[in-house]
Amino acid sequence: MTPHQQTAPQTRRDRGLDALKRIDGQGGEAVVNALADIAPDFADMLLEFPFGDIYTREGLDLRSREVATIAALAAMGTATPQLKVHMQAGLNVGLSREEIVEICMQMAVYAGFPAALNALFAAKEVFAEAA
């Protein structure tokens, strides 16, 4: 690039795509692609807000953001597909399997044993797929 050329500012969608690739890899892209035929606008919203605006903020690194996300999804107890995607994302950004298991176990205190059990079984599936 010459000194007179300028790069175009990244859009929220572009930032979101970049963040999604770093965090979720193919798992996140699969979710976005799966929405293309039924709700492409929602796919854009998913890229722009959580990934383009929130995940790219300063203040927390991606590893910390995934700890929070895994804990929240595990506590919900109703978001197993998303929990699995974010457990894989946690591995992608440096969480160990042991740390993910501990996050799930911690949820027994605040969300109950059923939520913790569901999260642990989700982790078991993610780890088996990653092996």
Side-chain angles (χ1 to χ4, degrees):
M1 178 179 346
T2 68
H4 300 289
Q5 291 176 319
Q6 294 181 350
T7 58
Q10 270 196 318
T11 65
R12 291 170 72 212
R13 189 177 198 288
D14 291 338
R15 283 194 317 270
L17 275 171
D18 289 346
L20 183 69
K21 287 176 186 172
R22 277 195 325 272
I23 298 162
D24 289 332
Q26 294 177 346
E29 290 179 49
V31 171
V32 171
N33 292 338
L35 291 168
D37 63 341
I38 188 168
D41 291 342
F42 192 79
D44 287 339
M45 289 177 212
L46 180 67
L47 288 170
E48 291 172 355
F49 179 64
F51 291 98
D53 293 341
I54 301 299
Y55 271 89
T56 58
R57 289 178 56 81
E58 294 182 14
L60 288 177
D61 61 12
L62 292 178
R63 191 176 184 286
S64 299
R65 290 186 188 281
E66 284 304 325
V67 168
T69 303
I70 291 166
L73 291 170
M76 287 174 64
T78 58
T80 302
Q82 294 81 12
L83 176 59
K84 288 179 181 179
V85 167
H86 283 280
M87 286 176 166
Q88 182 58 55
L91 295 171
N92 293 346
V93 298
L95 289 174
S96 69
R97 291 176 178 204
E98 293 79 15
E99 288 171 315
I100 292 171
V101 167
E102 288 298 324
I103 294 165
C104 296
M105 290 174 60
Q106 181 75 19
M107 292 306 97
V109 177
Y110 298 98
F113 275 79
L117 282 168
N118 290 343
L120 287 165
F121 286 125
K124 188 174 182 177
E125 289 180 34
V126 169
F127 300 161
E129 291 170 9

Short mmCIF file of all heavy atoms in Angstrom, two decimals, residues 66-101:
data_model
loop_
_atom_site.label_atom_id
_atom_site.label_comp_id
_atom_site.label_asym_id
_atom_site.label_seq_id
_atom_site.Cartn_x
_atom_site.Cartn_y
_atom_site.Cartn_z
N GLU A 66 -15.03 -15.99 26.73
CA GLU A 66 -15.55 -17.35 26.56
C GLU A 66 -15.85 -18.00 27.90
O GLU A 66 -16.81 -18.76 28.01
CB GLU A 66 -14.62 -18.20 25.72
CG GLU A 66 -14.69 -17.87 24.23
CD GLU A 66 -16.09 -17.97 23.64
OE1 GLU A 66 -16.89 -18.84 24.04
OE2 GLU A 66 -16.40 -17.15 22.75
N VAL A 67 -15.08 -17.70 28.94
CA VAL A 67 -15.41 -18.21 30.28
C VAL A 67 -16.80 -17.72 30.66
O VAL A 67 -17.66 -18.50 31.10
CB VAL A 67 -14.36 -17.78 31.34
CG1 VAL A 67 -14.87 -18.06 32.75
CG2 VAL A 67 -13.03 -18.47 31.10
N ALA A 68 -17.04 -16.43 30.49
CA ALA A 68 -18.34 -15.85 30.83
C ALA A 68 -19.46 -16.45 29.98
O ALA A 68 -20.55 -16.76 30.49
CB ALA A 68 -18.30 -14.33 30.67
N THR A 69 -19.19 -16.64 28.72
CA THR A 69 -20.21 -17.17 27.81
C THR A 69 -20.55 -18.61 28.14
O THR A 69 -21.73 -18.99 28.20
CB THR A 69 -19.74 -17.04 26.34
OG1 THR A 69 -19.46 -15.67 26.08
CG2 THR A 69 -20.80 -17.55 25.37
N ILE A 70 -19.53 -19.42 28.37
CA ILE A 70 -19.78 -20.82 28.73
C ILE A 70 -20.58 -20.90 30.03
O ILE A 70 -21.54 -21.67 30.14
CB ILE A 70 -18.45 -21.61 28.84
CG1 ILE A 70 -17.82 -21.76 27.44
CG2 ILE A 70 -18.66 -22.98 29.49
CD1 ILE A 70 -16.37 -22.22 27.47
N ALA A 71 -20.20 -20.10 31.02
CA ALA A 71 -20.92 -20.10 32.29
C ALA A 71 -22.38 -19.70 32.10
O ALA A 71 -23.29 -20.34 32.64
CB ALA A 71 -20.23 -19.16 33.29
N ALA A 72 -22.61 -18.65 31.33
CA ALA A 72 -23.98 -18.18 31.11
C ALA A 72 -24.82 -19.22 30.38
O ALA A 72 -25.96 -19.51 30.78
CB ALA A 72 -23.97 -16.86 30.34
N LEU A 73 -24.28 -19.79 29.33
CA LEU A 73 -25.03 -20.79 28.57
C LEU A 73 -25.26 -22.05 29.39
O LEU A 73 -26.34 -22.66 29.31
CB LEU A 73 -24.31 -21.11 27.26
CG LEU A 73 -24.28 -19.98 26.23
CD1 LEU A 73 -23.34 -20.33 25.09
CD2 LEU A 73 -25.68 -19.68 25.71
N ALA A 74 -24.28 -22.46 30.17
CA ALA A 74 -24.45 -23.63 31.04
C ALA A 74 -25.54 -23.36 32.08
O ALA A 74 -26.39 -24.21 32.33
CB ALA A 74 -23.13 -23.98 31.72
N ALA A 75 -25.52 -22.17 32.65
CA ALA A 75 -26.52 -21.83 33.67
C ALA A 75 -27.93 -21.78 33.09
O ALA A 75 -28.89 -22.14 33.77
CB ALA A 75 -26.17 -20.49 34.31
N MET A 76 -28.05 -21.37 31.84
CA MET A 76 -29.37 -21.34 31.22
C MET A 76 -29.98 -22.72 31.15
O MET A 76 -31.18 -22.89 31.36
CB MET A 76 -29.28 -20.75 29.79
CG MET A 76 -29.04 -19.27 29.76
SD MET A 76 -28.77 -18.66 28.07
CE MET A 76 -30.37 -19.01 27.33
N GLY A 77 -29.15 -23.70 30.84
CA GLY A 77 -29.62 -25.07 30.77
C GLY A 77 -30.48 -25.39 29.56
O GLY A 77 -30.99 -26.50 29.44
N THR A 78 -30.69 -24.43 28.68
CA THR A 78 -31.57 -24.62 27.53
C THR A 78 -30.90 -24.30 26.20
O THR A 78 -31.58 -24.19 25.18
CB THR A 78 -32.81 -23.71 27.65
OG1 THR A 78 -32.38 -22.35 27.75
CG2 THR A 78 -33.64 -24.07 28.87
N ALA A 79 -29.59 -24.12 26.22
CA ALA A 79 -28.90 -23.67 25.01
C ALA A 79 -27.74 -24.60 24.67
O ALA A 79 -26.64 -24.15 24.36
CB ALA A 79 -28.41 -22.24 25.21
N THR A 80 -28.00 -25.90 24.69
CA THR A 80 -26.92 -26.87 24.50
C THR A 80 -26.19 -26.71 23.16
O THR A 80 -24.96 -26.76 23.15
CB THR A 80 -27.44 -28.31 24.68
OG1 THR A 80 -28.00 -28.42 26.00
CG2 THR A 80 -26.33 -29.33 24.52
N PRO A 81 -26.87 -26.50 22.04
CA PRO A 81 -26.10 -26.32 20.80
C PRO A 81 -25.14 -25.13 20.86
O PRO A 81 -23.99 -25.23 20.43
CB PRO A 81 -27.18 -26.11 19.72
CG PRO A 81 -28.40 -26.76 20.29
CD PRO A 81 -28.32 -26.53 21.78
N GLN A 82 -25.62 -24.02 21.42
CA GLN A 82 -24.76 -22.84 21.53
C GLN A 82 -23.64 -23.08 22.54
O GLN A 82 -22.51 -22.63 22.36
CB GLN A 82 -25.59 -21.61 21.92
CG GLN A 82 -26.57 -21.18 20.86
CD GLN A 82 -27.87 -21.99 20.85
OE1 GLN A 82 -28.16 -22.76 21.76
NE2 GLN A 82 -28.65 -21.81 19.80
N LEU A 83 -23.96 -23.79 23.62
CA LEU A 83 -22.96 -24.12 24.63
C LEU A 83 -21.82 -24.93 24.00
O LEU A 83 -20.65 -24.66 24.25
CB LEU A 83 -23.60 -24.89 25.79
CG LEU A 83 -22.67 -25.39 26.89
CD1 LEU A 83 -21.92 -24.24 27.55
CD2 LEU A 83 -23.47 -26.19 27.92
N LYS A 84 -22.16 -25.89 23.18
CA LYS A 84 -21.14 -26.71 22.53
C LYS A 84 -20.25 -25.87 21.62
O LYS A 84 -19.02 -26.03 21.60
CB LYS A 84 -21.78 -27.85 21.73
CG LYS A 84 -22.38 -28.93 22.59
CD LYS A 84 -23.00 -29.98 21.69
CE LYS A 84 -23.65 -31.09 22.46
NZ LYS A 84 -24.26 -32.09 21.56
N VAL A 85 -20.87 -24.97 20.86
CA VAL A 85 -20.08 -24.09 19.98
C VAL A 85 -19.11 -23.26 20.81
O VAL A 85 -17.94 -23.11 20.46
CB VAL A 85 -21.00 -23.19 19.12
CG1 VAL A 85 -20.22 -22.08 18.44
CG2 VAL A 85 -21.75 -24.02 18.07
N HIS A 86 -19.58 -22.75 21.94
CA HIS A 86 -18.72 -21.89 22.75
C HIS A 86 -17.71 -22.69 23.57
O HIS A 86 -16.64 -22.16 23.91
CB HIS A 86 -19.54 -20.93 23.60
CG HIS A 86 -20.06 -19.81 22.77
ND1 HIS A 86 -19.27 -18.73 22.42
CD2 HIS A 86 -21.25 -19.62 22.17
CE1 HIS A 86 -19.96 -17.92 21.66
NE2 HIS A 86 -21.17 -18.44 21.49
N MET A 87 -18.00 -23.94 23.87
CA MET A 87 -16.96 -24.77 24.50
C MET A 87 -15.82 -25.00 23.51
O MET A 87 -14.65 -24.91 23.89
CB MET A 87 -17.55 -26.10 24.96
CG MET A 87 -18.41 -25.98 26.18
SD MET A 87 -19.16 -27.57 26.60
CE MET A 87 -19.75 -27.23 28.26
N GLN A 88 -16.16 -25.26 22.26
CA GLN A 88 -15.12 -25.40 21.24
C GLN A 88 -14.39 -24.07 21.06
O GLN A 88 -13.17 -24.04 20.92
CB GLN A 88 -15.72 -25.86 19.91
CG GLN A 88 -14.68 -26.07 18.82
CD GLN A 88 -13.62 -27.08 19.20
OE1 GLN A 88 -13.94 -28.22 19.55
NE2 GLN A 88 -12.35 -26.70 19.16
N ALA A 89 -15.13 -22.97 21.09
CA ALA A 89 -14.50 -21.65 21.00
C ALA A 89 -13.55 -21.44 22.17
O ALA A 89 -12.45 -20.89 22.00
CB ALA A 89 -15.56 -20.56 20.97
N GLY A 90 -13.95 -21.88 23.36
CA GLY A 90 -13.08 -21.77 24.53
C GLY A 90 -11.77 -22.50 24.31
O GLY A 90 -10.69 -21.98 24.63
N LEU A 91 -11.85 -23.69 23.75
CA LEU A 91 -10.63 -24.43 23.42
C LEU A 91 -9.81 -23.65 22.39
O LEU A 91 -8.58 -23.59 22.51
CB LEU A 91 -10.97 -25.83 22.89
CG LEU A 91 -11.64 -26.79 23.87
CD1 LEU A 91 -12.11 -28.05 23.15
CD2 LEU A 91 -10.69 -27.14 25.02
N ASN A 92 -10.49 -23.05 21.43
CA ASN A 92 -9.80 -22.29 20.38
C ASN A 92 -9.04 -21.09 20.92
O ASN A 92 -8.03 -20.69 20.34
CB ASN A 92 -10.79 -21.79 19.32
CG ASN A 92 -11.43 -22.89 18.50
OD1 ASN A 92 -10.97 -24.04 18.52
ND2 ASN A 92 -12.49 -22.56 17.81
N VAL A 93 -9.54 -20.48 22.00
CA VAL A 93 -8.89 -19.27 22.53
C VAL A 93 -8.06 -19.55 23.78
O VAL A 93 -7.66 -18.62 24.48
CB VAL A 93 -9.91 -18.13 22.77
CG1 VAL A 93 -10.58 -17.72 21.48
CG2 VAL A 93 -10.92 -18.49 23.84
N GLY A 94 -7.80 -20.82 24.06
CA GLY A 94 -6.83 -21.14 25.10
C GLY A 94 -7.34 -21.74 26.39
O GLY A 94 -6.55 -22.00 27.31
N LEU A 95 -8.64 -22.00 26.51
CA LEU A 95 -9.12 -22.70 27.70
C LEU A 95 -8.73 -24.17 27.60
O LEU A 95 -8.74 -24.75 26.52
CB LEU A 95 -10.64 -22.59 27.82
CG LEU A 95 -11.21 -21.23 28.19
CD1 LEU A 95 -12.73 -21.26 28.14
CD2 LEU A 95 -10.73 -20.81 29.56
N SER A 96 -8.43 -24.75 28.74
CA SER A 96 -8.15 -26.19 28.75
C SER A 96 -9.45 -26.94 28.99
O SER A 96 -10.44 -26.37 29.45
CB SER A 96 -7.14 -26.51 29.86
OG SER A 96 -7.75 -26.34 31.14
N ARG A 97 -9.42 -28.22 28.72
CA ARG A 97 -10.58 -29.06 29.01
C ARG A 97 -10.90 -29.02 30.49
O ARG A 97 -12.07 -28.97 30.88
CB ARG A 97 -10.31 -30.50 28.55
CG ARG A 97 -10.25 -30.64 27.05
CD ARG A 97 -9.90 -32.05 26.63
NE ARG A 97 -9.90 -32.14 25.17
CZ ARG A 97 -10.09 -33.26 24.50
NH1 ARG A 97 -10.29 -34.39 25.15
NH2 ARG A 97 -10.08 -33.25 23.19
N GLU A 98 -9.86 -29.05 31.31
CA GLU A 98 -10.06 -29.02 32.76
C GLU A 98 -10.76 -27.73 33.19
O GLU A 98 -11.63 -27.76 34.07
CB GLU A 98 -8.72 -29.17 33.48
CG GLU A 98 -8.07 -30.53 33.30
CD GLU A 98 -7.35 -30.71 31.95
OE1 GLU A 98 -7.08 -29.70 31.23
OE2 GLU A 98 -7.08 -31.86 31.59
N GLU A 99 -10.39 -26.61 32.59
CA GLU A 99 -11.03 -25.35 32.94
C GLU A 99 -12.50 -25.35 32.54
O GLU A 99 -13.36 -24.86 33.30
CB GLU A 99 -10.30 -24.17 32.27
CG GLU A 99 -8.94 -23.89 32.89
CD GLU A 99 -8.13 -22.89 32.12
OE1 GLU A 99 -8.06 -22.99 30.87
OE2 GLU A 99 -7.56 -21.99 32.76
N ILE A 100 -12.80 -25.89 31.39
CA ILE A 100 -14.20 -25.97 30.95
C ILE A 100 -15.00 -26.85 31.89
O ILE A 100 -16.13 -26.51 32.27
CB ILE A 100 -14.29 -26.43 29.48
CG1 ILE A 100 -13.72 -25.32 28.56
CG2 ILE A 100 -15.73 -26.80 29.09
CD1 ILE A 100 -13.55 -25.71 27.11
N VAL A 101 -14.43 -27.97 32.30
CA VAL A 101 -15.11 -28.85 33.26
C VAL A 101 -15.35 -28.10 34.57
O VAL A 101 -16.44 -28.18 35.16
CB VAL A 101 -14.30 -30.15 33.48
CG1 VAL A 101 -14.81 -30.92 34.70
CG2 VAL A 101 -14.35 -31.02 32.23
#
